[in-house]
Amino acid sequence: MTVLVTGGAGYIGGHMVLELLDAGESVVVLDNLSTGFRWAVAPAATLIEGDFGDAELVADLLARFKVDAIIHFAAKIVVPESVADPLGYYENNTAKARSLLEQAVKAGVPHVIFSSTAAVYGEPEASPVVEDAPTAPINPYGRSKLMVEWMLADVAAAHKLTYTALRYFNVAGADPKGRSGQSTPNATHLIKVAVQAALGKRQGMEVFGTDYPTPDGSCLRDYIQVTDLVRAHMDALRRLRAGGGSITCNVGYGRGYSVLEVIDMVKRVSGADFDVRLSGRRAGDPASIVASNARIRRELGWRPRHDDLEQIVRQALDWERGLEKRLAG
Ligand code: UFG
């Protein structure tokens, strides 16, 4: 039995591969290396360079490696980019996912784990948000992912396939053993940007919006450490293989930090001061989004181990410090 990890050369996928290998699984990675790196794939995994929308290639891999589960990470993930390029997001995140699911059904792959997102909720009315809350995404990114959740539900009803959709909140931090971290060039995510500013890799940073209806006016997010996140997939895989039915779960800690609090933490942990400019709102940003994790605890038995913003920031800083050497090969 082999697990196919799409996007396994990327930030979260790379951590997933480590976790799977640590658990003794056989792993095939399918990645087009558009944002991922060959070196980010642990050597014990088989890396196939290609696109998950390539039906012929996927059909061949599923049969050749006797894949029993697909963990699908490969996606475009930048909210403002999705506002500027909606068709690119619907093509990559939605249309190609349809193709992947078609191949999964044809090959009789029994299980799929899908990287969904808190962005499917849009601007939730209640906080923390539960999975049964209305889905009302406010940007193309969220809609491109929500459509895949819908496809999965329909496919699971029609075919012999069970799935877990995991709605990630804001993923951050790095492997506590220092083997992997966020390496994407031109990354736009808050902790990555703040850490780069702290290390002098960029000239300060901006806070996008200080007039939100939140305690300090900046947006609130639930930052989930990447190893805790990938462990949720291990819990999901175990449950699906044991016969558990299809399910959708939030993955977050249930606590929000504001953009200004995160920046303060990065300054404190790094000991570096940097220029922070207060700017206008960024397109597509909800004011506040915090997870209820009651369902994933109850149904998957998931337990956070790294719920500590200071530790998350420290890991991100450590990884960023060593990154140039890795990128240079
Ligand atoms: N932010 C800044 N300055 C920056 C970068 C970000 O102020 O330089 C702010 C954003 O405006 C936002 C917050 O920091 O308020 C977090 O922004 P990120 O870009 O780090 O993350 P997003 O919340 O936009 O999106 C992330 C993931 C999505 C996921 C979503 C769930 O990219 O996949 O969290 O909330 F769906």
Side-chain angles (χ1 to χ4, degrees):
M1 284 192 306
T2 297
V3 179
L4 173 65
V5 180
T6 72
Y11 170 45
I12 304 171
H15 285 84
M16 185 77 247
V17 170
L18 290 171
E19 198 73 23
L20 286 162
L21 293 171
D22 285 351
E25 297 280 346
S26 148
V27 181
V28 176
V29 169
L30 176 59
D31 199 302
N32 65 7
L33 302 180
S34 58
T35 55
F37 299 94
R38 195 175 289 282
W39 54 258
V41 180
T46 304
L47 169 63
I48 307 289
E49 192 178 338
D51 202 293
F52 71 93
D54 180 341
E56 218 173 295
L57 173 64
V58 169
D60 173 63
L61 291 183
L62 297 179
R64 189 148 51 99
F65 291 95
K66 299 189 173 49
V67 170
D68 86 309
I70 300 173
I71 310 187
H72 177 44
F73 292 99
K76 289 173 174 276
I77 57 158
V78 180
V79 170
E81 186 185 61
S82 79
V83 176
D85 178 24
L87 292 175
Y89 272 67
Y90 292 128
E91 165 64 12
N92 195 77
N93 292 3
T94 315
K96 287 183 185 175
R98 185 212 156 275
S99 165
L100 180 71
L101 288 179
E102 182 171 38
Q103 296 315 313
V105 168
K106 278 189 181 161
V109 174
H111 310 303
V112 173
I113 300 176
F114 172 59
S115 302
S116 189
T117 168
V120 300
Y121 296 114
E123 190 82 68
E125 275 161 30
S127 182
V129 63
V130 294
E131 291 83 351
D132 293 332
T135 47
I138 58 169
N139 50 57
Y141 169 68
R143 284 188 276 272
S144 74
K145 289 277 187 172
L146 181 57
M147 284 191 265
V148 181
E149 287 196 12
W150 290 340
M151 279 195 276
L152 278 165
D154 292 339
V155 167
H159 302 283
K160 215 174 156 305
L161 177 150
T162 53
Y163 73 90
T164 303
L166 295 174
R167 292 176 176 166
Y168 307 167
F169 283 63
N170 287 57
V171 188
D175 175 41
K177 295 182 189 152
R179 298 170 295 176
S180 194
Q182 169 62 284
S183 313
T184 322
N186 310 318
T188 57
H189 289 119
L190 176 65
I191 291 182
K192 173 89 175 173
V193 167
V195 156
Q196 288 182 330
L199 296 179
K201 292 188 180 188
R202 64 168 75 216
Q203 284 307 309
M205 63 175 293
E206 288 176 271
V207 174
F208 299 128
T210 50
D211 60 347
Y212 285 100
T214 57
D216 67 16
S218 66
C219 290
L220 286 183
R221 295 287 184 274
D222 186 337
Y223 294 91
I224 160 101
Q225 198 272 348
V226 63
T227 316
D228 271 347
L229 176 77
V230 298
R231 280 188 26 258
H233 299 68
M234 296 301 294
D235 295 334
L237 183 62
R238 210 173 303 116
R239 180 179 169 281
L240 289 172
R241 282 176 171 165
S246 297
I247 192 169
T248 299
C249 296
N250 290 338
V251 199
Y253 291 139
R255 178 183 339 156
Y257 287 98
S258 75
V259 172
L260 294 172
E261 285 173 324
V262 169
I263 294 172
D264 278 352
M265 181 64 87
V266 172
K267 287 190 172 182
R268 192 161 67 73
V269 173
S270 65
D273 199 8
F274 48 88
D275 186 28
V276 176
R277 297 175 294 280
L278 306 182
S279 304
R281 294 183 178 194
R282 193 176 71 172
D285 276 348
S288 170
I289 179 142
V290 175
S292 160
N293 57 26
R295 181 183 287 177
I296 192 168
R297 285 172 178 270
R298 190 179 62 240
E299 302 293 333
L300 269 58
W302 177 79
R303 294 288 179 274
R305 289 188 195 151
H306 304 282
D307 175 5
D308 178 347
L309 184 65
E310 183 175 337
Q311 188 191 46
I312 290 172
V313 164
R314 206 174 290 286
Q315 290 168 354
L317 271 165
D318 286 347
W319 178 259
E320 193 67 37
R321 280 196 189 96
L323 190 55
E324 259 63 50
K325 252 187 273 159
R326 283 178 198 267
L327 291 175

